Amino acid sequence: MTADRLTILHVYPRQMGVSGDRGNVAALVRRAATADIVTEVVEYAPGDELPSAADVVVVGNGPLSAMRSLGTDVTRVGPVLRDFATAGVPVVAVGGGFDLATNQVVPTDGAPIDGFGVFDARAVRGAERRVNYLVLESRYPLLPGASTRLAGFEDHAARIELADGVAPFADVVSGGGNQAGSPVEGAVTGNSFGTHTQGPILPLNPQLTDAVLAAATARLGRDYTPDPGRTATIDEYAREARATIDRYVDKAFKRIA
């Protein structure tokens, strides 16, 4: 963070951004503004020079074909993203971006794809395809008093195998999640999390956006205090959307074999 702004690094927005994932970046920018924090969004494309510093990193959803198209760029930038995460920079990886942020993506055919290695896990394709509303209880640390109930949407056929000692992002209330035995979803390391929860997840769950921004600013010695008056409309839209998910969570979608 410079003296006057918070830097949000959006990785592969063109290749890994097929599910409205710019909404996650927009939520961070809009929410930060309610705490009088100016933001700068830096987009990273394959072959670019990766910034030497960032305050939040976002990786969105994308298909296996997009991951393959990135070639060796993933392994080139992986060490930098791991260093960011180790330093406490929140890395938010969603959908296929979560798969890519593990150690390895194992497809049903063809060679495995090396990932960023931010999360000590691997994504194994070929699990039951889950197309559902997804309701979770967060294990990611939220601000005091914030609801731990998260809601969104999942559409994936991956089994996420977490290494020993890796904490999941959330417990599954309704939905598929990691599909690796225990009813859990995603992964957490430090201030970073990966999940298949789409929607996009941050606009739907402002308390999670607050937690990411609080983690980003705390490591820089700055308080994060959004103005409730300026967040009221955003919060109401999110509450109404989550209420709709709660009403239809067991009715709207089905498993796909």
Side-chain angles (χ1 to χ4, degrees):
M1 183 178 183
T2 64
D4 61 349
R5 67 191 61 236
L6 193 81
T7 300
I8 300 169
L9 175 61
H10 192 181
V11 177
Y12 303 142
R14 184 170 177 270
Q15 294 83 4
M16 308 297 292
V18 301
S19 302
D21 297 302
R22 287 182 186 273
N24 289 320
V25 175
L28 290 165
V29 171
R30 178 82 178 270
R31 200 76 176 180
T34 69
D36 294 321
I37 296 173
V38 177
T39 55
E40 177 186 17
V41 177
V42 177
E43 296 189 348
Y44 172 79
D48 288 352
E49 183 178 350
L50 198 69
S52 59
D55 301 307
V56 182
V57 177
V58 177
V59 191
N61 186 37
L64 191 65
S65 58
M67 298 182 204
R68 285 177 167 148
S69 75
L70 296 169
T72 59
D73 196 76
V74 173
T75 54
R76 183 177 73 88
V77 303
V80 178
L81 297 187
R82 291 196 297 274
D83 286 346
F84 283 161
T86 299
V89 172
V91 176
V92 178
V94 179
F98 172 37
D99 293 350
L100 197 62
T102 67
N103 296 327
Q104 189 178 64
V105 181
V106 182
T108 55
D109 56 65
I113 299 168
D114 290 334
F116 296 131
V118 171
F119 304 101
D120 192 4
R122 69 175 191 160
V124 181
R125 297 298 182 96
E128 177 184 60
R129 186 162 202 91
R130 298 300 298 253
V131 184
N132 314 282
Y133 285 131
L134 187 60
V135 180
L136 307 168
E137 285 290 335
S138 175
R139 294 198 193 184
Y140 188 81
L142 305 178
L143 298 184
S147 172
T148 58
R149 181 63 63 97
L150 305 175
F153 178 82
E154 65 175 341
D155 179 3
H156 70 99
R159 182 177 72 253
I160 301 297
E161 299 176 349
L162 304 179
D164 291 343
V166 176
F169 168 65
D171 296 291
V172 174
V173 176
S174 181
N178 287 352
Q179 302 195 87
S182 300
V184 297
E185 163 60 21
V188 171
T189 181
N191 291 329
S192 300
F193 70 84
T195 179
H196 281 113
T197 313
Q198 298 172 44
I201 186 173
L202 295 186
L204 271 174
N205 301 278
Q207 73 274 37
L208 184 59
T209 312
D210 285 339
V212 171
L213 289 169
T217 53
R219 64 180 290 272
L220 301 167
R222 180 167 178 177
D223 292 332
Y224 169 72
T225 309
D227 181 345
R230 296 161 68 184
T231 64
T233 300
I234 300 171
D235 293 345
E236 182 58 27
Y237 284 146
R239 277 193 296 270
E240 291 176 357
R242 293 196 307 272
T244 299
I245 290 173
D246 285 339
R247 283 197 299 272
Y248 296 108
V249 67
D250 294 323
K251 301 176 183 178
F253 303 100
K254 297 185 182 297
R255 301 175 181 181
I256 300 175

mmCIF file of all heavy atoms in Angstrom, residues 39-88:
data_model
loop_
_atom_site.group_PDB
_atom_site.id
_atom_site.type_symbol
_atom_site.label_atom_id
_atom_site.label_comp_id
_atom_site.label_asym_id
_atom_site.label_seq_id
_atom_site.Cartn_x
_atom_site.Cartn_y
_atom_site.Cartn_z
ATOM 1 N N THR A 39 -8.482 2.948 -3.623
ATOM 2 C CA THR A 39 -7.911 1.713 -4.167
ATOM 3 C C THR A 39 -7.382 1.936 -5.577
ATOM 4 O O THR A 39 -7.808 2.836 -6.289
ATOM 5 C CB THR A 39 -8.975 0.604 -4.208
ATOM 6 O OG1 THR A 39 -10.110 1.072 -4.930
ATOM 7 C CG2 THR A 39 -9.397 0.174 -2.808
ATOM 8 N N GLU A 40 -6.459 1.072 -5.943
ATOM 9 C CA GLU A 40 -5.950 1.003 -7.315
ATOM 10 C C GLU A 40 -6.002 -0.450 -7.756
ATOM 11 O O GLU A 40 -5.477 -1.325 -7.054
ATOM 12 C CB GLU A 40 -4.517 1.518 -7.399
ATOM 13 C CG GLU A 40 -3.913 1.395 -8.792
ATOM 14 C CD GLU A 40 -2.445 1.765 -8.839
ATOM 15 O OE1 GLU A 40 -1.809 1.803 -7.763
ATOM 16 O OE2 GLU A 40 -1.926 2.009 -9.935
ATOM 17 N N VAL A 41 -6.657 -0.724 -8.882
ATOM 18 C CA VAL A 41 -6.749 -2.081 -9.405
ATOM 19 C C VAL A 41 -5.698 -2.258 -10.491
ATOM 20 O O VAL A 41 -5.657 -1.498 -11.470
ATOM 21 C CB VAL A 41 -8.152 -2.380 -9.961
ATOM 22 C CG1 VAL A 41 -8.197 -3.782 -10.565
ATOM 23 C CG2 VAL A 41 -9.206 -2.236 -8.873
ATOM 24 N N VAL A 42 -4.836 -3.264 -10.326
ATOM 25 C CA VAL A 42 -3.799 -3.587 -11.296
ATOM 26 C C VAL A 42 -4.140 -4.944 -11.895
ATOM 27 O O VAL A 42 -4.284 -5.932 -11.168
ATOM 28 C CB VAL A 42 -2.407 -3.630 -10.642
ATOM 29 C CG1 VAL A 42 -1.353 -4.051 -11.663
ATOM 30 C CG2 VAL A 42 -2.058 -2.282 -10.027
ATOM 31 N N GLU A 43 -4.302 -5.006 -13.208
ATOM 32 C CA GLU A 43 -4.618 -6.265 -13.881
ATOM 33 C C GLU A 43 -3.340 -6.903 -14.413
ATOM 34 O O GLU A 43 -2.519 -6.235 -15.047
ATOM 35 C CB GLU A 43 -5.614 -6.031 -15.011
ATOM 36 C CG GLU A 43 -6.967 -5.524 -14.520
ATOM 37 C CD GLU A 43 -8.016 -5.504 -15.607
ATOM 38 O OE1 GLU A 43 -7.640 -5.658 -16.797
ATOM 39 O OE2 GLU A 43 -9.202 -5.327 -15.269
ATOM 40 N N TYR A 44 -3.226 -8.201 -14.146
ATOM 41 C CA TYR A 44 -2.044 -8.940 -14.611
ATOM 42 C C TYR A 44 -2.454 -9.917 -15.706
ATOM 43 O O TYR A 44 -3.344 -10.761 -15.512
ATOM 44 C CB TYR A 44 -1.384 -9.710 -13.458
ATOM 45 C CG TYR A 44 -0.285 -10.620 -13.967
ATOM 46 C CD1 TYR A 44 0.968 -10.110 -14.289
ATOM 47 C CD2 TYR A 44 -0.528 -11.976 -14.194
ATOM 48 C CE1 TYR A 44 1.963 -10.923 -14.811
ATOM 49 C CE2 TYR A 44 0.459 -12.796 -14.704
ATOM 50 C CZ TYR A 44 1.700 -12.263 -15.023
ATOM 51 O OH TYR A 44 2.668 -13.074 -15.552
ATOM 52 N N ALA A 45 -1.800 -9.843 -16.855
ATOM 53 C CA ALA A 45 -2.011 -10.763 -17.971
ATOM 54 C C ALA A 45 -0.756 -11.600 -18.180
ATOM 55 O O ALA A 45 0.346 -11.203 -17.779
ATOM 56 C CB ALA A 45 -2.333 -9.983 -19.243
ATOM 57 N N PRO A 46 -0.887 -12.787 -18.785
ATOM 58 C CA PRO A 46 0.283 -13.642 -19.006
ATOM 59 C C PRO A 46 1.404 -12.886 -19.721
ATOM 60 O O PRO A 46 1.173 -12.186 -20.702
ATOM 61 C CB PRO A 46 -0.264 -14.769 -19.880
ATOM 62 C CG PRO A 46 -1.715 -14.818 -19.565
ATOM 63 C CD PRO A 46 -2.122 -13.407 -19.289
ATOM 64 N N GLY A 47 2.601 -13.023 -19.188
ATOM 65 C CA GLY A 47 3.762 -12.382 -19.785
ATOM 66 C C GLY A 47 4.068 -11.008 -19.251
ATOM 67 O O GLY A 47 5.160 -10.479 -19.488
ATOM 68 N N ASP A 48 3.117 -10.391 -18.533
ATOM 69 C CA ASP A 48 3.371 -9.088 -17.933
ATOM 70 C C ASP A 48 4.407 -9.201 -16.822
ATOM 71 O O ASP A 48 4.694 -10.300 -16.318
ATOM 72 C CB ASP A 48 2.094 -8.504 -17.326
ATOM 73 C CG ASP A 48 1.098 -8.035 -18.370
ATOM 74 O OD1 ASP A 48 1.456 -8.026 -19.561
ATOM 75 O OD2 ASP A 48 -0.034 -7.677 -17.988
ATOM 76 N N GLU A 49 4.935 -8.061 -16.435
ATOM 77 C CA GLU A 49 5.766 -8.024 -15.244
ATOM 78 C C GLU A 49 4.856 -7.952 -14.026
ATOM 79 O O GLU A 49 4.017 -7.057 -13.912
ATOM 80 C CB GLU A 49 6.688 -6.809 -15.269
ATOM 81 C CG GLU A 49 7.632 -6.745 -14.075
ATOM 82 C CD GLU A 49 8.577 -5.564 -14.149
ATOM 83 O OE1 GLU A 49 8.632 -4.901 -15.210
ATOM 84 O OE2 GLU A 49 9.260 -5.294 -13.141
ATOM 85 N N LEU A 50 4.989 -8.924 -13.142
ATOM 86 C CA LEU A 50 4.137 -8.970 -11.955
ATOM 87 C C LEU A 50 4.574 -7.894 -10.969
ATOM 88 O O LEU A 50 5.764 -7.720 -10.717
ATOM 89 C CB LEU A 50 4.226 -10.345 -11.291
ATOM 90 C CG LEU A 50 3.113 -10.707 -10.312
ATOM 91 C CD1 LEU A 50 1.794 -10.903 -11.068
ATOM 92 C CD2 LEU A 50 3.460 -11.992 -9.554
ATOM 93 N N PRO A 51 3.631 -7.134 -10.404
ATOM 94 C CA PRO A 51 4.007 -6.115 -9.433
ATOM 95 C C PRO A 51 4.783 -6.721 -8.260
ATOM 96 O O PRO A 51 4.529 -7.855 -7.848
ATOM 97 C CB PRO A 51 2.663 -5.563 -8.962
ATOM 98 C CG PRO A 51 1.722 -5.857 -10.078
ATOM 99 C CD PRO A 51 2.193 -7.155 -10.667
ATOM 100 N N SER A 52 5.707 -5.962 -7.731
ATOM 101 C CA SER A 52 6.511 -6.447 -6.605
ATOM 102 C C SER A 52 5.761 -6.349 -5.287
ATOM 103 O O SER A 52 6.194 -6.921 -4.286
ATOM 104 C CB SER A 52 7.811 -5.647 -6.514
ATOM 105 O OG SER A 52 7.530 -4.268 -6.338
ATOM 106 N N ALA A 53 4.638 -5.641 -5.275
ATOM 107 C CA ALA A 53 3.856 -5.487 -4.057
ATOM 108 C C ALA A 53 2.383 -5.429 -4.404
ATOM 109 O O ALA A 53 2.004 -4.968 -5.484
ATOM 110 C CB ALA A 53 4.270 -4.220 -3.299
ATOM 111 N N ALA A 54 1.547 -5.928 -3.513
ATOM 112 C CA ALA A 54 0.091 -5.855 -3.650
ATOM 113 C C ALA A 54 -0.492 -5.971 -2.251
ATOM 114 O O ALA A 54 0.160 -6.486 -1.327
ATOM 115 C CB ALA A 54 -0.440 -6.961 -4.554
ATOM 116 N N ASP A 55 -1.717 -5.498 -2.086
ATOM 117 C CA ASP A 55 -2.371 -5.551 -0.776
ATOM 118 C C ASP A 55 -3.499 -6.571 -0.733
ATOM 119 O O ASP A 55 -3.840 -7.084 0.331
ATOM 120 C CB ASP A 55 -2.904 -4.165 -0.408
ATOM 121 C CG ASP A 55 -1.785 -3.142 -0.365
ATOM 122 O OD1 ASP A 55 -0.789 -3.389 0.335
ATOM 123 O OD2 ASP A 55 -1.889 -2.100 -1.051
ATOM 124 N N VAL A 56 -4.105 -6.862 -1.885
ATOM 125 C CA VAL A 56 -5.085 -7.936 -2.047
ATOM 126 C C VAL A 56 -4.864 -8.515 -3.436
ATOM 127 O O VAL A 56 -4.580 -7.783 -4.386
ATOM 128 C CB VAL A 56 -6.547 -7.433 -1.935
ATOM 129 C CG1 VAL A 56 -7.515 -8.606 -2.054
ATOM 130 C CG2 VAL A 56 -6.797 -6.684 -0.635
ATOM 131 N N VAL A 57 -4.990 -9.853 -3.552
ATOM 132 C CA VAL A 57 -4.885 -10.526 -4.852
ATOM 133 C C VAL A 57 -6.197 -11.260 -5.104
ATOM 134 O O VAL A 57 -6.718 -11.932 -4.205
ATOM 135 C CB VAL A 57 -3.716 -11.531 -4.879
ATOM 136 C CG1 VAL A 57 -3.666 -12.265 -6.217
ATOM 137 C CG2 VAL A 57 -2.393 -10.839 -4.596
ATOM 138 N N VAL A 58 -6.741 -11.130 -6.315
ATOM 139 C CA VAL A 58 -7.977 -11.814 -6.684
ATOM 140 C C VAL A 58 -7.725 -12.648 -7.937
ATOM 141 O O VAL A 58 -7.172 -12.150 -8.925
ATOM 142 C CB VAL A 58 -9.121 -10.810 -6.953
ATOM 143 C CG1 VAL A 58 -10.387 -11.547 -7.405
ATOM 144 C CG2 VAL A 58 -9.407 -9.972 -5.709
ATOM 145 N N VAL A 59 -8.135 -13.928 -7.885
ATOM 146 C CA VAL A 59 -8.080 -14.821 -9.047
ATOM 147 C C VAL A 59 -9.483 -15.385 -9.231
ATOM 148 O O VAL A 59 -10.050 -15.956 -8.300
ATOM 149 C CB VAL A 59 -7.085 -15.976 -8.865
ATOM 150 C CG1 VAL A 59 -6.872 -16.703 -10.196
ATOM 151 C CG2 VAL A 59 -5.766 -15.502 -8.298
ATOM 152 N N GLY A 60 -10.045 -15.241 -10.430
ATOM 153 C CA GLY A 60 -11.419 -15.653 -10.668
ATOM 154 C C GLY A 60 -11.545 -17.023 -11.304
ATOM 155 O O GLY A 60 -10.574 -17.778 -11.455
ATOM 156 N N ASN A 61 -12.770 -17.333 -11.708
ATOM 157 C CA ASN A 61 -13.115 -18.636 -12.250
ATOM 158 C C ASN A 61 -12.760 -18.737 -13.730
ATOM 159 O O ASN A 61 -12.777 -17.739 -14.452
ATOM 160 C CB ASN A 61 -14.611 -18.882 -12.068
ATOM 161 C CG ASN A 61 -15.030 -20.281 -12.469
ATOM 162 O OD1 ASN A 61 -14.299 -21.247 -12.247
ATOM 163 N ND2 ASN A 61 -16.206 -20.408 -13.047
ATOM 164 N N GLY A 62 -12.449 -19.942 -14.167
ATOM 165 C CA GLY A 62 -12.160 -20.173 -15.574
ATOM 166 C C GLY A 62 -12.123 -21.663 -15.870
ATOM 167 O O GLY A 62 -11.925 -22.480 -14.967
ATOM 168 N N PRO A 63 -12.300 -22.040 -17.133
ATOM 169 C CA PRO A 63 -12.319 -23.458 -17.506
ATOM 170 C C PRO A 63 -10.916 -24.049 -17.588
ATOM 171 O O PRO A 63 -9.917 -23.325 -17.596
ATOM 172 C CB PRO A 63 -12.985 -23.439 -18.886
ATOM 173 C CG PRO A 63 -12.570 -22.114 -19.458
ATOM 174 C CD PRO A 63 -12.549 -21.164 -18.302
ATOM 175 N N LEU A 64 -10.888 -25.359 -17.709
ATOM 176 C CA LEU A 64 -9.617 -26.067 -17.822
ATOM 177 C C LEU A 64 -8.842 -25.609 -19.054
ATOM 178 O O LEU A 64 -7.616 -25.495 -19.024
ATOM 179 C CB LEU A 64 -9.873 -27.568 -17.884
ATOM 180 C CG LEU A 64 -8.663 -28.488 -17.747
ATOM 181 C CD1 LEU A 64 -8.029 -28.358 -16.373
ATOM 182 C CD2 LEU A 64 -9.080 -29.940 -17.993
ATOM 183 N N SER A 65 -9.557 -25.315 -20.140
ATOM 184 C CA SER A 65 -8.882 -24.862 -21.354
ATOM 185 C C SER A 65 -8.124 -23.559 -21.109
ATOM 186 O O SER A 65 -7.021 -23.359 -21.649
ATOM 187 C CB SER A 65 -9.891 -24.673 -22.486
ATOM 188 O OG SER A 65 -10.897 -23.730 -22.121
ATOM 189 N N ALA A 66 -8.694 -22.670 -20.299
ATOM 190 C CA ALA A 66 -8.012 -21.411 -19.990
ATOM 191 C C ALA A 66 -6.763 -21.676 -19.158
ATOM 192 O O ALA A 66 -5.716 -21.060 -19.385
ATOM 193 C CB ALA A 66 -8.960 -20.475 -19.248
ATOM 194 N N MET A 67 -6.864 -22.582 -18.201
ATOM 195 C CA MET A 67 -5.694 -22.912 -17.387
ATOM 196 C C MET A 67 -4.569 -23.451 -18.251
ATOM 197 O O MET A 67 -3.408 -23.079 -18.091
ATOM 198 C CB MET A 67 -6.069 -23.940 -16.316
ATOM 199 C CG MET A 67 -7.115 -23.477 -15.317
ATOM 200 S SD MET A 67 -7.432 -24.762 -14.081
ATOM 201 C CE MET A 67 -9.080 -24.314 -13.558
ATOM 202 N N ARG A 68 -4.918 -24.323 -19.196
ATOM 203 C CA ARG A 68 -3.900 -24.882 -20.077
ATOM 204 C C ARG A 68 -3.276 -23.809 -20.959
ATOM 205 O O ARG A 68 -2.087 -23.844 -21.263
ATOM 206 C CB ARG A 68 -4.509 -25.995 -20.922
ATOM 207 C CG ARG A 68 -4.736 -27.288 -20.140
ATOM 208 C CD ARG A 68 -5.404 -28.347 -20.978
ATOM 209 N NE ARG A 68 -5.337 -29.658 -20.330
ATOM 210 C CZ ARG A 68 -6.257 -30.599 -20.452
ATOM 211 N NH1 ARG A 68 -7.331 -30.379 -21.213
ATOM 212 N NH2 ARG A 68 -6.123 -31.760 -19.837
ATOM 213 N N SER A 69 -4.095 -22.835 -21.366
ATOM 214 C CA SER A 69 -3.586 -21.790 -22.252
ATOM 215 C C SER A 69 -2.546 -20.911 -21.571
ATOM 216 O O SER A 69 -1.759 -20.234 -22.248
ATOM 217 C CB SER A 69 -4.744 -20.918 -22.751
ATOM 218 O OG SER A 69 -5.202 -20.031 -21.732
ATOM 219 N N LEU A 70 -2.532 -20.889 -20.246
ATOM 220 C CA LEU A 70 -1.596 -20.035 -19.510
ATOM 221 C C LEU A 70 -0.173 -20.583 -19.534
ATOM 222 O O LEU A 70 0.780 -19.851 -19.252
ATOM 223 C CB LEU A 70 -2.076 -19.878 -18.061
ATOM 224 C CG LEU A 70 -3.420 -19.158 -17.908
ATOM 225 C CD1 LEU A 70 -3.946 -19.297 -16.486
ATOM 226 C CD2 LEU A 70 -3.303 -17.696 -18.288
ATOM 227 N N GLY A 71 -0.046 -21.871 -19.841
ATOM 228 C CA GLY A 71 1.276 -22.470 -19.996
ATOM 229 C C GLY A 71 2.137 -22.325 -18.753
ATOM 230 O O GLY A 71 1.673 -22.497 -17.620
ATOM 231 N N THR A 72 3.393 -21.958 -18.975
ATOM 232 C CA THR A 72 4.349 -21.886 -17.864
ATOM 233 C C THR A 72 4.249 -20.581 -17.085
ATOM 234 O O THR A 72 4.972 -20.398 -16.102
ATOM 235 C CB THR A 72 5.787 -22.032 -18.397
ATOM 236 O OG1 THR A 72 6.047 -20.981 -19.350
ATOM 237 C CG2 THR A 72 5.983 -23.385 -19.057
ATOM 238 N N ASP A 73 3.357 -19.688 -17.509
ATOM 239 C CA ASP A 73 3.230 -18.428 -16.781
ATOM 240 C C ASP A 73 2.790 -18.676 -15.346
ATOM 241 O O ASP A 73 3.181 -17.935 -14.434
ATOM 242 C CB ASP A 73 2.237 -17.501 -17.480
ATOM 243 C CG ASP A 73 2.361 -16.068 -17.000
ATOM 244 O OD1 ASP A 73 3.326 -15.387 -17.403
ATOM 245 O OD2 ASP A 73 1.500 -15.639 -16.190
ATOM 246 N N VAL A 74 1.989 -19.716 -15.128
ATOM 247 C CA VAL A 74 1.511 -20.027 -13.775
ATOM 248 C C VAL A 74 2.681 -20.341 -12.854
ATOM 249 O O VAL A 74 2.762 -19.827 -11.728
ATOM 250 C CB VAL A 74 0.511 -21.196 -13.814
ATOM 251 C CG1 VAL A 74 0.136 -21.633 -12.393
ATOM 252 C CG2 VAL A 74 -0.744 -20.797 -14.582
ATOM 253 N N THR A 75 3.584 -21.189 -13.316
ATOM 254 C CA THR A 75 4.728 -21.538 -12.468
ATOM 255 C C THR A 75 5.698 -20.375 -12.331
ATOM 256 O O THR A 75 6.432 -20.275 -11.355
ATOM 257 C CB THR A 75 5.449 -22.775 -13.018
ATOM 258 O OG1 THR A 75 5.793 -22.566 -14.398
ATOM 259 C CG2 THR A 75 4.562 -24.003 -12.925
ATOM 260 N N ARG A 76 5.695 -19.474 -13.321
ATOM 261 C CA ARG A 76 6.578 -18.304 -13.240
ATOM 262 C C ARG A 76 6.135 -17.342 -12.138
ATOM 263 O O ARG A 76 6.966 -16.798 -11.406
ATOM 264 C CB ARG A 76 6.591 -17.576 -14.594
ATOM 265 C CG ARG A 76 7.543 -16.379 -14.645
ATOM 266 C CD ARG A 76 7.563 -15.757 -16.031
ATOM 267 N NE ARG A 76 6.352 -15.019 -16.342
ATOM 268 C CZ ARG A 76 6.175 -13.731 -16.042
ATOM 269 N NH1 ARG A 76 7.130 -13.057 -15.416
ATOM 270 N NH2 ARG A 76 5.061 -13.122 -16.373
ATOM 271 N N VAL A 77 4.827 -17.131 -12.034
ATOM 272 C CA VAL A 77 4.346 -16.153 -11.049
ATOM 273 C C VAL A 77 3.969 -16.801 -9.719
ATOM 274 O O VAL A 77 3.771 -16.094 -8.722
ATOM 275 C CB VAL A 77 3.148 -15.356 -11.597
ATOM 276 C CG1 VAL A 77 3.517 -14.666 -12.888
ATOM 277 C CG2 VAL A 77 1.920 -16.233 -11.786
ATOM 278 N N GLY A 78 3.889 -18.139 -9.696
ATOM 279 C CA GLY A 78 3.509 -18.826 -8.467
ATOM 280 C C GLY A 78 4.340 -18.438 -7.248
ATOM 281 O O GLY A 78 3.785 -18.154 -6.180
ATOM 282 N N PRO A 79 5.683 -18.406 -7.355
ATOM 283 C CA PRO A 79 6.481 -18.042 -6.177
ATOM 284 C C PRO A 79 6.154 -16.650 -5.634
ATOM 285 O O PRO A 79 6.167 -16.434 -4.406
ATOM 286 C CB PRO A 79 7.923 -18.113 -6.702
ATOM 287 C CG PRO A 79 7.871 -19.097 -7.819
ATOM 288 C CD PRO A 79 6.539 -18.856 -8.475
ATOM 289 N N VAL A 80 5.844 -15.711 -6.518
ATOM 290 C CA VAL A 80 5.510 -14.361 -6.063
ATOM 291 C C VAL A 80 4.191 -14.373 -5.302
ATOM 292 O O VAL A 80 4.067 -13.765 -4.231
ATOM 293 C CB VAL A 80 5.439 -13.388 -7.253
ATOM 294 C CG1 VAL A 80 5.047 -11.988 -6.772
ATOM 295 C CG2 VAL A 80 6.767 -13.340 -7.984
ATOM 296 N N LEU A 81 3.193 -15.086 -5.828
ATOM 297 C CA LEU A 81 1.898 -15.147 -5.151
ATOM 298 C C LEU A 81 2.008 -15.876 -3.822
ATOM 299 O O LEU A 81 1.364 -15.496 -2.836
ATOM 300 C CB LEU A 81 0.861 -15.820 -6.050
ATOM 301 C CG LEU A 81 0.542 -15.110 -7.367
ATOM 302 C CD1 LEU A 81 -0.620 -15.794 -8.076
ATOM 303 C CD2 LEU A 81 0.238 -13.638 -7.155
ATOM 304 N N ARG A 82 2.854 -16.912 -3.771
ATOM 305 C CA ARG A 82 3.060 -17.604 -2.493
ATOM 306 C C ARG A 82 3.714 -16.677 -1.482
ATOM 307 O O ARG A 82 3.362 -16.673 -0.295
ATOM 308 C CB ARG A 82 3.915 -18.860 -2.698
ATOM 309 C CG ARG A 82 3.203 -19.957 -3.473
ATOM 310 C CD ARG A 82 3.908 -21.295 -3.335
ATOM 311 N NE ARG A 82 5.261 -21.313 -3.885
ATOM 312 C CZ ARG A 82 5.552 -21.567 -5.153
ATOM 313 N NH1 ARG A 82 4.573 -21.804 -6.025
ATOM 314 N NH2 ARG A 82 6.803 -21.603 -5.569
ATOM 315 N N ASP A 83 4.663 -15.881 -1.948
ATOM 316 C CA ASP A 83 5.315 -14.926 -1.044
ATOM 317 C C ASP A 83 4.319 -13.890 -0.533
ATOM 318 O O ASP A 83 4.353 -13.507 0.639
ATOM 319 C CB ASP A 83 6.479 -14.223 -1.755
ATOM 320 C CG ASP A 83 7.689 -15.119 -1.943
ATOM 321 O OD1 ASP A 83 7.742 -16.190 -1.309
ATOM 322 O OD2 ASP A 83 8.583 -14.747 -2.733
ATOM 323 N N PHE A 84 3.444 -13.417 -1.415
ATOM 324 C CA PHE A 84 2.408 -12.490 -0.971
ATOM 325 C C PHE A 84 1.582 -13.116 0.150
ATOM 326 O O PHE A 84 1.347 -12.508 1.192
ATOM 327 C CB PHE A 84 1.479 -12.129 -2.140
ATOM 328 C CG PHE A 84 2.047 -11.145 -3.121
ATOM 329 C CD1 PHE A 84 1.502 -11.038 -4.396
ATOM 330 C CD2 PHE A 84 3.102 -10.328 -2.803
ATOM 331 C CE1 PHE A 84 1.991 -10.127 -5.319
ATOM 332 C CE2 PHE A 84 3.623 -9.415 -3.722
ATOM 333 C CZ PHE A 84 3.065 -9.317 -4.980
ATOM 334 N N ALA A 85 1.100 -14.348 -0.090
ATOM 335 C CA ALA A 85 0.254 -15.011 0.900
ATOM 336 C C ALA A 85 0.999 -15.229 2.218
ATOM 337 O O ALA A 85 0.447 -15.019 3.303
ATOM 338 C CB ALA A 85 -0.253 -16.343 0.351
ATOM 339 N N THR A 86 2.267 -15.633 2.127
ATOM 340 C CA THR A 86 3.061 -15.848 3.338
ATOM 341 C C THR A 86 3.238 -14.554 4.116
ATOM 342 O O THR A 86 3.282 -14.552 5.355
ATOM 343 C CB THR A 86 4.441 -16.425 2.958
ATOM 344 O OG1 THR A 86 4.261 -17.684 2.298
ATOM 345 C CG2 THR A 86 5.310 -16.643 4.190
ATOM 346 N N ALA A 87 3.318 -13.431 3.401
ATOM 347 C CA ALA A 87 3.483 -12.123 4.043
ATOM 348 C C ALA A 87 2.181 -11.587 4.619
ATOM 349 O O ALA A 87 2.167 -10.502 5.221
ATOM 350 C CB ALA A 87 4.055 -11.128 3.050
ATOM 351 N N GLY A 88 1.078 -12.318 4.433
ATOM 352 C CA GLY A 88 -0.197 -11.894 4.997
ATOM 353 C C GLY A 88 -1.109 -11.178 4.028
ATOM 354 O O GLY A 88 -2.199 -10.743 4.416
#
